[in-house]
Amino acid sequence: MKKIVFLSFLMAIFFGACSNESNVNSIDKIKQQGVIRIGVFGDKPPFGYLDAQGANQGYDVFFAKRIAKELLGDENKVQFVLVEAANRVEFLESNKVDIILANFTKTPEREAVVDFALPYMKVALGVVAPKGSDIKSIDDLKDKTLILNKGTTADAYFTKNHPEIKTIKFDQNTETFAALLGNRGDALSHDNALLFAWAKENPNFEVVIKELGNQDVIAPAVKKGDEAMLKFLNDLIVNLNKEQFFHKAYDETLKPFFSDDIQAIDVVVEE
């Protein structure tokens, strides 16, 4: 009888601890840990990349530091977790990150598996090719090889809408653009804002299709059902909009990478 009572006592402690842990929301856990883990790119300038010293830089990094400052009182209390386009959802679902800021375009398919906060950027697809190419439209790609980054909206768009176009795909942005530079394909499709910046740095190439598909938005993503973090981000973005934070972020991180014909209003979502 004593053993049964003791066993019941241990079980009560165990399940009580589990219950208390489950009642701790994501914001409280992060405050207890003293650090927030945010997924960003390491190879996608000017949005997320590593500089010559190995430090994280870019538009998403600028935003991530502000999130850490608002939540933990110190912009340095952020752990940057490098992700690739194809594993962003996986990193949220497996609790490897608390937030994804890796230039994550909001789509219905992704909304089914993660929760998106308010947007902070707008984007469409584009296509870049060597200067002097005969590529001016989608039709011109039908006898060409198109280079894509796995897990991107460009990958989804061409797979769904133009399966007749021959493609080659790579996991990392660096591999994708290296393939274009190495003449392994005739053109490359990606987010147009990224292509504008890349073409400026690579003057032998030009954005031959500036806008393709839908006009989409980029937003922070959190694990499905993480209501506490979602509310925190939405409230924060509303307040940041009031101080024109994202215009400041544009000036600090994006403007130097773009040509003069690109303005903050073309990229930033700020109401």
Side-chain angles (χ1 to χ4, degrees), residues 3 9-10 30-33 70 97 105 107 109 117 123 133 147 156 187 195 205 213 225 240 269:
K3 289 182 178 179
F9 174 71
L10 289 178
I30 290 166
K31 288 182 177 179
Q32 290 171 6
Q33 294 164 358
E70 293 294 328
V97 297
T105 304
T107 68
E109 293 78 13
V123 68
S133 77
I147 302 169
L195 297 185
F205 294 83
L240 293 181
V269 172

Side-chain angles (χ1 to χ4, degrees), residues 9-271:
F9 174 71
L10 289 178
M11 291 177 68
I13 293 175
F14 174 77
F15 286 112
C18 291
S19 176
N20 289 336
E21 184 177 349
S22 65
N23 288 333
V24 178
N25 67 38
S26 59
I27 298 294
D28 293 335
K29 287 180 181 178
I30 290 166
K31 288 182 177 179
Q32 290 171 6
Q33 294 164 358
V35 65
I36 183 166
R37 303 163 304 161
I38 300 181
V40 296
F41 283 127
D43 62 350
K44 194 175 181 180
F47 306 103
Y49 63 99
L50 300 178
D51 65 17
Q53 289 71 45
N56 294 91
Q57 302 290 352
Y59 185 69
D60 289 336
V61 171
F62 195 92
F63 183 22
K65 289 180 178 180
R66 182 61 182 268
I67 291 172
K69 183 178 180 180
E70 293 294 328
L71 186 59
L72 299 170
D74 185 345
E75 69 172 23
N76 295 310
K77 290 185 176 180
V78 54
Q79 177 187 344
F80 292 111
V81 180
L82 299 186
V83 299
E84 296 172 5
N87 66 18
R88 289 172 292 189
V89 171
E90 174 197 335
F91 271 47
L92 278 176
E93 292 181 334
S94 59
N95 295 314
K96 293 179 180 177
V97 297
D98 303 301
I99 303 170
I100 286 287
L101 284 187
N103 211 229
F104 209 15
T105 304
K106 182 178 178 180
T107 68
E109 293 78 13
R110 290 170 178 169
E111 281 187 288
V113 291
V114 302
D115 286 336
F116 283 98
L118 294 171
Y120 62 98
M121 189 174 167
K122 52 191 174 186
V123 68
L125 297 179
V127 175
V128 67
K131 280 187 175 177
S133 77
D134 59 356
I135 300 171
K136 304 299 178 187
S137 68
I138 288 287
D139 288 340
D140 297 328
L141 292 169
K142 291 183 179 177
D143 59 346
K144 303 289 195 301
T145 297
L146 181 66
I147 302 169
L148 297 171
N149 205 164
K150 292 179 184 176
T152 60
T153 47
D155 182 8
Y157 176 83
F158 280 96
T159 299
K160 179 181 178 181
N161 298 296
H162 296 284
E164 75 281 2
I165 295 176
K166 181 183 176 182
T167 63
I168 53 174
K169 303 178 184 182
F170 299 91
D171 289 313
Q172 298 180 354
N173 282 297
T174 47
E175 295 175 309
T176 306
F177 285 97
L180 182 62
L181 291 168
N183 298 314
R184 297 179 63 184
D186 301 288
L188 182 153
S189 182
H190 215 306
D191 293 349
N192 60 358
L194 172 64
L195 297 185
F196 295 148
W198 189 84
K200 182 180 178 181
E201 291 296 311
N202 296 270
N204 291 328
F205 294 83
E206 62 181 332
V207 181
V208 292
I209 303 176
K210 293 185 176 181
E211 190 166 316
L212 183 65
N214 297 327
Q215 179 71 248
D216 293 316
V217 295
I218 288 171
V222 302
K223 188 174 182 180
K224 197 72 175 173
D226 188 351
E227 295 180 3
M229 181 59 72
L230 190 64
K231 183 180 186 306
F232 165 78
L233 286 172
N234 283 337
D235 291 345
L236 175 60
I237 290 170
V238 168
N239 288 330
L240 293 181
N241 285 342
K242 293 176 182 177
E243 64 178 72
Q244 290 199 311
F245 169 83
F246 294 106
H247 272 74
K248 296 173 187 174
Y250 175 91
D251 289 339
E252 290 281 339
T253 64
L254 299 184
K255 186 176 181 179
F257 286 82
F258 291 152
S259 57
D260 293 339
D261 60 331
I262 306 298
Q263 304 296 322
I265 195 171
D266 298 322
V267 178
V268 171
V269 172
E270 199 162 58
E271 298 176 357

